[in-house]
Amino acid sequence: MADSTMEAPRWCKGCGDFGILSALKNDMAASGIAPEQTVHVSGIGCSGRVPNYINSYGAHTLHGRAIPFATGLILTRPELQVYIESGDGDALSIGGNHLLHGINKNVNCVFVLFNNELYALTKSQTSPTTRQGHPTNTQPDGTWLPPINPLRIVLGFSPSFVANTADWMSDHLAHTLAAAREHQGFSFVHVFQRCPHYDPNAFNHRDRSWPVFLTDEAGIPPDKRYKDAANEAHDPTDYHAAMRLADSAHTHFGLIYKDADKPRYDSILQAAASGSAPESELLAHFRL
Amino acid sequence: MSNISTSGLHSHRFEILMDAGCGAQKAGDILIRALAWHGCRVYSEPVIPAEISPPVRTPPALSGAVIRIASAPIQSIGNATEVILAQHEMNLETRMLDGEYAADVIVLLDAHDSKRHGDAYDRVIRQVDAAGGSVQLFTVVPEAEALIRSLKGAGRNLYYVGILSGVYGIDEDHVVQAIRRVFSRLSAEKLALNLELFHYGRSHAPALGCVLPVCAERLESPILLDGNQAISAGAIDAGFRFLSGYPITPASSILHALAHDLPRCGGMVHQAEDEIAAVGAMLGAYFGGTPSFTVTSGPGFSLKQEFLGYAQMAELPGVVVDVQRAGPSTGMPTKTEQSDLEIAVHGRHGQNAAIVLSVANVSDCFYAPHVARYLAETLRTPITILSDFHVANSFGVVNEMRSCQLDDVADIATDVLERFDLQPLAVAPLIHPNQAAPGHSPDMRRITGLNTDSEGSISYRAETAQQAHATRVAKLDAVRDALAVPTIHGDTAAGVLLCGWGSSRGALYEAVDELAAAGVRIAGMHFHTVFPLPQALTSVLHGYDQVFTVEQAYGDARHPGPFAALLRQETACDVRTLVGQATGRPLTPGTIVDAVKEGAHG
């Protein structure tokens, strides 16, 4: 079915979500997986609307609850390709618990964190990642506390895949999504996302000189349009180096960490669910 | 002590009381099995401490089993305990506060602690005497006491099993068989010691001078299980292949049973990170086409409400088993109540009444998952099954339920639906015709909690919102129209009707029978489907002079209990609450009988 039948996105002009949406669509096309074998699951917020705008199966769930919903689907339908879209308030505040356990359970999906560093759809409130001092409608004198660092939190839960990218680095974003999809496990993709309406100057996105791309044979290639950007070698299997890099999340992009051997909850449960005991004997145990 | 009967008892209730960790539950298990093998109808209720191992000789440490036996079918725990075997005076005193013992109760009291706590023993014995009962102190024979000491205090429960099995004249082979079954994981050496202690107790029994042999008439194909075990087996038989849950008393034993059984049938149990995640995963699995359910109790049920409202909006099937416990808040986790009725029917924001089934006994527990799945998948909406602590933990001996191996819900047997007063649904209204699961259709389904039109597209238009509400109400009406008014129990021409639901059925029916025998004209009506209610109920209720509810939730003469309030709302009939008992204890026939008699005099 053609995209023309889809609803038109209702995001603001210049929103970073457009870039992520087209990257997701391109990744689906590049994957060769049929759209009907693909499911996009989201929470609430601007990012939550993605499933409504993509030609695949979709579930726009509750605020913070995309991961549990997706977990039930992934456990029971392992052949499907599942993407999860979530925002910084959705994933790190109301749904924080689910993110920790999603990382730990390591079920197979691509998790995309749209980090615009505030609540946008509810009209500019402080989120867990809002920078200190930034005024919002709930903290008008400037956000009181320093932001939490999503990469540190995720790395603390021994993830299997952590990558850092931004909505305006389309080439890098595409490579990141492809690597995340190819990885078998919970692929955590952190995407800085512009919010032109509430915080237009959060990221110095027009300047292509400052980003540093992490390079490794097993990593993600630097964005080819960023000719003047610096590259830095980083071994994504080095956990301690990854932890140090978490503090440079605003400047360093690429594959932060990868552990291909981390156990997957979904494959373990699926392997155990192989029995076919006769149902008629269910009550035999209780016979007198 | 004199012999009560030598001709065989028709109904009797006894209990064994010990400190937590001393094996009272195991002793109860053994006795229930042995009595069932003996041929008795058994109904039992555990006394379970809310903590794991509270300090011994304190009130919270009380652990035990209440066992009612009869020669004919029974569905309630009955009124009063006639024989108590207690480990020490503190267990006895704590339990007597519940006031559930017969006036002439016989207490068999272990004298083990009486040397150090003589005054306390004397005080409690005087209490029993003053109430009209009698206490028989006994001392475990020295050989057995030495053996118990060598086992570091373990095995006393087996001595008590010996005593009680002797008192009731249960065939010794049946008891030994039950011990072997309950202790199947014990080493041969430990098992032999336990059997030795059983035999010491058994030999002690005649000296107590209490002989109460029971009548026995075996069922055709008897099985013995509790409500949670029946729901677990029923869920597999109903085709559920995914259970997600979070540990909570008293629902956890369903998780335990199915963690073992579901993988053997190609399914899985997902222990989620919290209650919200558990219901979310259930809905995600159902979105993928896998029949799925979740189990919980009050606090968890509160947390699940947002997702249940989402499922109604997005038209996702789902089944929630709420094993109710005494509330509100954390309440009394190991005590029973029927107080989640209101949240089950009306608990979600945005005008979303929901379909609610209930269970009265272990046979219902087996079939409720079939009916819930049928309704959930036919109407694409979540269904709640209300069980409770009492039915979940009460063991019953029943004839083995019929295996259905339900695949397509359209093939559900009519007699299974009729158990819940239902016929097959005539219509299945839907907001969105496209209910395809991923992978199966190019017409891809996208769900959302936002209001949508019939194509599934987000819509804030006035008429689509009104239409979606009308369709959700039409789902309730589809059930309403398929419902029959429950059969009257007792006098069909009586002017007074007592209504109950869920696990109160046994007490309600027994009370009606007892009142009828005493010449009181009264009828009883028990509801399996508690919402919606049948259309014809309004005219039926208005035909009575007086309609009352008996429920295990708070209500009094001025304040209708939750079920009375629901009946008033649905029928505009002046329904009052006769028994609105929120004590944490199951309803007894005697409580209802007394309330009716008081009402007649008042």
Side-chain angles (χ1 to χ4, degrees), chain B residues 238-240 286 291 319 369-378 406-407 409:
Chain B
F240 289 98
Y286 236 134
V319 173
H370 299 74
V371 178
R373 190 183 150 217
Y374 167 75
L375 294 174
E377 292 187 21
T378 308
L406 191 61
D407 183 14
V409 291

Side-chain angles (χ1 to χ4, degrees), chain B residues 254-314:
Chain B
I254 301 174
L255 285 174
H256 304 171
L258 288 177
H260 181 268
D261 290 348
L262 254 185
R264 285 166 174 73
C265 299
M268 56 179 82
V269 171
H270 167 48
Q271 183 183 330
E273 61 270 25
D274 61 32
E275 292 279 359
I276 297 171
V279 65
M282 182 264 284
L283 294 174
Y286 236 134
F287 178 68
T290 304
S292 307
F293 76 117
T294 183
V295 297
T296 190
S297 187
F301 194 44
S302 290
L303 285 166
K304 292 188 193 305
Q305 294 304 321
E306 189 190 8
F307 248 132
L308 296 178
Y310 171 77
Q312 290 176 312
M313 193 72 171

Side-chain angles (χ1 to χ4, degrees), chain A residues 123-206:
Chain A
K123 300 185 172 40
S124 187
Q125 294 86 14
T126 292
S127 93
T129 55
T130 304
R131 65 191 177 280
Q132 193 172 23
H134 178 73
T136 67
N137 283 324
T138 46
Q139 298 183 12
D141 295 334
T143 292
W144 304 121
L145 295 173
I148 65 164
N149 182 331
L151 297 186
R152 269 193 178 191
I153 290 175
V154 166
L155 284 165
F157 266 70
S158 303
S160 70
F161 183 102
V162 180
N164 192 31
T165 184
D167 77 70
W168 56 90
M169 299 173 181
S170 56
D171 178 49
H172 190 257
L173 177 58
H175 282 114
T176 305
L177 289 177
R181 171 171 44 74
E182 281 157 16
H183 172 71
Q184 299 297 300
F186 191 97
S187 303
F188 179 81
V189 179
H190 180 253
V191 188
F192 284 111
Q193 176 234 318
R194 291 163 292 166
C195 179
H197 199 89
Y198 289 115
D199 193 9
N201 302 314
F203 313 107
N204 184 18
H205 64 274
R206 286 195 182 84

Side-chain angles (χ1 to χ4, degrees), chain B residues 476-536:
Chain B
L476 298 175
D477 278 344
V479 177
R480 198 186 304 279
D481 294 343
L483 273 171
V485 175
T487 312
I488 298 283
H489 182 84
D491 187 346
T492 51
V496 179
L497 178 69
L498 301 183
C499 296
W501 65 280
S503 72
S504 61
R505 184 170 74 167
L508 171 64
Y509 282 8
E510 283 188 40
V512 167
D513 294 344
E514 196 180 325
L515 287 160
V520 180
R521 302 205 62 182
I522 200 155
M525 188 182 281
H526 173 268
F527 292 78
H528 275 98
T529 301
V530 281
F531 197 83
L533 293 166
Q535 198 68 52

